[in-house]
Amino acid sequence: MDNEKIKDMLLDIADTSLEFIVTMTGKESKKVNGLYKPETREILLHNKNFKTDNQLVYTAVHEYTHHLMNEAEIAANGGREPPHGGRVHTNAFWAKFHELLEIAEKKGYYTMDLSSVPELESLTKEIKEKYIVPNGKLMLEFGRKLSQAHSLCEENSIRYEDYLDRILQLPRNTARTVAAVGMLNDDDAELGFDNMKIMASVKKADQRAKVTDALKNGKSPDSVIAMMKKKAQTVDPRTKLEKERDRLTKTIAELKTRLEYVEESLENL
C-alpha cells in the first residue's frame, strides 16, 4: 500500500471534511508505530515496524481516529482549533477507534481471524472457560455473600462499615461494587467481572439489558461505556463551553487568591 491508497481506504471507512495527509516514513521506531500531528493534519506511519498490511491498517485507523476526534473537537469549539497536548486516549477515542475497526473488517481492509492461528484460538477458549467465566461466577457469589453479611450486621446492630474496614479489610467502594455485581443474573458471569461491573453500574433495568446485549454481541467495554455516556449527556456545545468557562473562571480566581497569600507570606519571612 502507498500513501494515497491508505488515505483512500481511510476515507472509505469514514469520511471527513478536514483535509489530511498520510506519510509512510520508511523508518522503524521502538517508541511508536504511528503518530498524528493535529497542527499539520498529518498521519505518520513508521512502516518498517509492520510485517503485514493488516498491522499497517490497524495503526493507520488508530491515527485516523485521532484526526476524526480532532475534527469533532473543532466543531464543538465553534470552528476554532482546540488546545492540543491534553489526554488523547480517552474512552471516547477508544470507542470511536473500535467502531472504525469494525467498519474496516466489514469492508475487508482489516481482519481478526483467530482460526488462522489454531494455537491462539485454542488458548483464547481456555482463557475464557478457565479464567474469565469462573472469575465472573466467583465475584457474583462474592457479591451475594457481602449482601448477606450486610443484612446480618443490620439485624445484629453491627456497623457494616466497621465490619468492612477492620474485619474483612475491604475498601468500601470495592464492597459496594462487588455487592452490586451480586445482583446480576447467573448467566452474566460469562462476560467476566470487569464487564459485570459496567452492567451493575446501570440502574434502570431496560438500559442494563441494552448494555448486556451490547457486551454479549462483542462490543468493546469502551464502546459500551461511550454508549452509556452518550445517552446520559444531552448538553449542547454552547452549554458545554459555558460550563467550562465557569470552571476556568473559578479556578483562576482561586489561583489568584492563593498567589496573593504566597506573596504576602514571602514578604513576611
Side-chain angles (χ1 to χ4, degrees):
M1 299 179 75
D2 59 24
N3 295 333
E4 285 304 313
K5 285 184 178 180
I6 294 171
K7 182 175 180 179
D8 289 343
M9 173 198 68
L10 295 174
L11 287 170
D12 188 39
I13 292 172
D15 199 9
T16 176
S17 59
L18 195 65
E19 183 56 37
F20 70 100
I21 59 175
V22 175
T23 302
M24 287 193 289
T25 65
K27 298 178 181 179
E28 180 180 354
S29 172
K30 293 183 178 179
K31 293 183 178 180
V32 294
N33 291 321
L35 185 68
Y36 175 68
K37 294 185 175 182
E39 298 84 2
T40 57
R41 321 274 199 257
E42 186 176 13
I43 292 174
L44 297 176
L45 301 171
H46 298 309
N47 49 299
K48 288 293 181 70
N49 282 22
F50 313 121
K51 295 180 180 179
T52 66
D53 279 350
N54 205 46
Q55 293 175 327
L56 173 64
V57 170
Y58 180 89
T59 299
V61 174
H62 179 107
E63 302 309 333
Y64 188 52
T65 305
H66 284 302
H67 176 74
L68 295 179
M69 297 297 288
N70 186 46
E71 182 179 31
E73 283 291 323
I74 291 173
N77 203 29
R80 295 187 301 277
E81 190 76 21
H84 301 298
R87 181 168 169 255
V88 293
H89 289 128
T90 61
N91 165 257
F93 168 85
W94 291 115
K96 184 66 176 178
F97 176 46
H98 294 152
E99 175 191 332
L100 296 182
L101 277 182
E102 288 182 9
I103 296 173
E105 283 187 286
K106 290 177 181 177
K107 289 180 175 288
Y109 296 122
Y110 178 74
T111 61
M112 174 58 78
D113 182 16
L114 298 187
S115 64
S116 63
V117 189
E119 185 178 1
L120 179 58
E121 185 177 36
S122 176
L123 179 61
T124 302
K125 182 180 179 182
E126 181 182 356
I127 290 172
K128 288 185 175 182
E129 292 179 351
K130 289 189 177 182
Y131 302 98
I132 293 180
V133 175
N135 179 250
K137 290 180 179 178
L138 181 65
M139 298 309 288
L140 187 69
E141 185 63 24
F142 184 16
R144 292 169 181 173
K145 293 299 182 183
L146 280 179
S147 295
Q148 185 179 350
H150 191 180
S151 296
L152 287 171
C153 285
E154 291 289 322
E155 292 171 7
N156 293 278
S157 301
I158 295 173
R159 286 303 300 261
Y160 180 62
E161 295 84 357
D162 193 24
Y163 172 74
L164 291 174
D165 294 342
R166 298 193 302 122
I167 304 301
L168 294 185
Q169 296 177 304
L170 187 67
R172 298 182 190 184
N173 287 338
T174 300
R176 279 193 289 269
T177 299
V178 175
V181 165
M183 305 280 293
L184 299 176
N185 300 320
D186 290 346
D187 58 356
D188 294 331
E190 68 181 70
L191 294 170
F193 180 52
D194 287 301
N195 286 328
M196 293 167 75
K197 287 192 289 184
I198 296 173
M199 294 158 56
S201 69
V202 183
K203 305 303 179 185
K204 294 183 178 180
D206 58 336
Q207 294 180 3
R208 190 186 308 121
K210 292 179 180 178
V211 167
T212 303
D213 287 342
L215 288 168
K216 290 186 176 181
N217 286 324
K219 292 292 183 182
S220 71
D222 285 305
S223 297
V224 173
I225 292 171
M227 177 184 75
M228 293 162 57
K229 288 182 177 179
K230 188 174 182 180
K231 289 182 178 180
Q233 295 175 347
T234 57
V235 180
D236 64 274
R238 181 179 181 83
T239 302
K240 180 181 178 182
L241 288 172
E242 288 175 346
K243 287 185 176 181
E244 183 177 4
R245 178 198 61 195
D246 294 342
R247 286 196 301 270
L248 290 172
T249 301
K250 182 179 179 181
T251 299
I252 291 170
E254 291 174 347
L255 288 173
K256 284 183 177 179
T257 301
R258 178 62 182 171
L259 179 60
E260 291 173 0
Y261 170 78
V262 171
E263 288 177 341
E264 290 177 2
S265 299
L266 286 171
E267 290 176 359
N268 293 329
L269 288 177

